[in-house]
Amino acid sequence: MRPADRLFRIIQLLRATGRAMTAAEIAEKMEVAPRTVYRDMEHLMASGAPIEGERGVGYLLREAFDAPPLTFTFEQLEALAFGLRAVEMLGDPRLGQAAREAKEKMLGMLPVEHAERLVTAPIRAFRSSAQPEVPDSLGDVRTALSGKRKVWIAYHSLPGERSQRVVWPLGLAAFGTIWVMTAWCEMRNGFRDFRLDRVEDWKVLTDRFEAAPHQTYQAYIKQLV
């Protein structure tokens, strides 16, 4: 980790904790030796960072301090760059456009060096010619999910069974190039997962749904743990 990135993470750690931390605690969180923390603290305090404390006692970030917005480490910028590029490859056109617009907003707010890193990060996401196209239903399902709208689907299951049903979209997950919608199925009165590439027809309905606690996406996830 670059020293500048480590110094920034120490500031963020102290701010998030909101209390005095010993060098040993900080060293454990940062996965460095305590002597490195001592050296970093001396550097930060000499640079004017509002940190109070000393060796053997602990260090505290004064409440009045606020780090500048949109300040990232280079590793965080690489993660953001990869995430945005992956969304452009795996998402529907609207989601890809949103990713590009988000990147443009970030570029306008980041320091020049960080903005350049976001653009030139040497980590990419590509779609091969062998990969299936993004399901046409993805955009409409996302809209229904955010608006809590019921969806009618004509579905073709893996065993070859065809059915029509009304579902409540609760969550979406991408398994490689396969998009899966988790929903509450009115026909089965329970959770079901539907591969969007097997949804042959669909319609977002005007009816809205209100999921009870046992019908939420969080409840579904708990069943898997």
Side-chain angles (χ1 to χ4, degrees):
M1 182 185 301
R2 298 165 65 249
D5 292 343
R6 190 173 63 248
L7 295 178
F8 170 72
R9 288 185 61 186
I10 289 175
I11 292 288
Q12 295 295 83
L13 177 62
L14 289 173
R15 184 169 62 168
T17 304
R19 61 171 177 81
M21 297 184 69
T22 65
E25 287 181 292
I26 298 172
E28 182 179 0
K29 295 287 187 181
M30 302 292 297
E31 299 183 347
V32 297
R35 64 176 179 273
T36 300
V37 174
Y38 289 133
R39 185 171 60 249
D40 288 343
M41 286 302 183
E42 291 174 358
H43 180 80
L44 284 168
M45 295 170 76
S47 300
I51 296 174
E52 298 175 349
E54 58 185 74
R55 296 189 181 202
V57 178
Y59 300 93
L60 176 68
L61 185 68
R62 292 199 295 269
E63 292 183 5
F65 177 75
D66 191 18
L70 285 182
T71 303
F72 300 104
T73 66
F74 276 1
E75 191 170 30
Q76 289 168 345
L77 287 167
E78 287 189 349
L80 287 170
F82 176 71
L84 290 168
R85 290 163 182 166
V87 168
E88 290 188 58
M89 293 297 102
L90 297 176
D92 60 84
R94 296 204 311 263
L95 201 59
Q97 180 61 30
R100 289 188 289 273
E101 291 171 353
K103 182 172 69 174
E104 291 302 317
K105 286 183 178 180
M106 293 175 64
L107 291 176
M109 300 173 70
L110 286 169
V112 175
E113 183 183 11
H114 285 196
E116 182 179 352
R117 185 75 173 194
L118 184 63
V119 173
T120 62
I123 181 168
R124 301 280 171 178
F126 295 99
R127 173 177 291 278
S128 74
S129 57
Q131 290 175 329
E133 293 297 321
V134 177
D136 292 335
S137 59
L138 179 57
D140 287 339
V141 169
R142 288 196 304 105
T143 299
L145 194 157
S146 62
K148 293 186 177 181
R149 302 277 286 271
K150 297 182 181 183
V151 178
W152 170 86
I153 61 172
Y155 191 69
H156 181 193
S157 67
L158 283 174
E161 300 174 354
R162 283 181 163 81
S163 63
Q164 297 181 17
R165 58 187 81 192
V166 174
V167 300
W168 307 357
L170 301 174
L172 285 165
F175 295 88
T177 59
I178 302 299
W179 280 96
V180 174
M181 170 183 62
T182 297
W184 182 266
C185 177
E186 291 189 352
M187 184 173 72
R188 299 300 185 187
N189 193 33
F191 295 116
R192 291 294 186 273
D193 290 323
F194 301 96
R195 284 180 45 164
L196 292 188
D197 59 323
R198 291 186 170 275
V199 173
E200 298 179 337
D201 197 7
W202 68 95
K203 181 181 180 180
V204 178
L205 305 177
T206 57
D207 295 343
R208 298 181 183 274
F209 65 86
E210 285 295 334
H214 71 283
Q215 297 171 313
T216 64
Y217 193 53
Q218 290 72 22
Y220 168 78
I221 295 299
K222 285 183 180 180
Q223 290 186 175
L224 303 180
V225 178

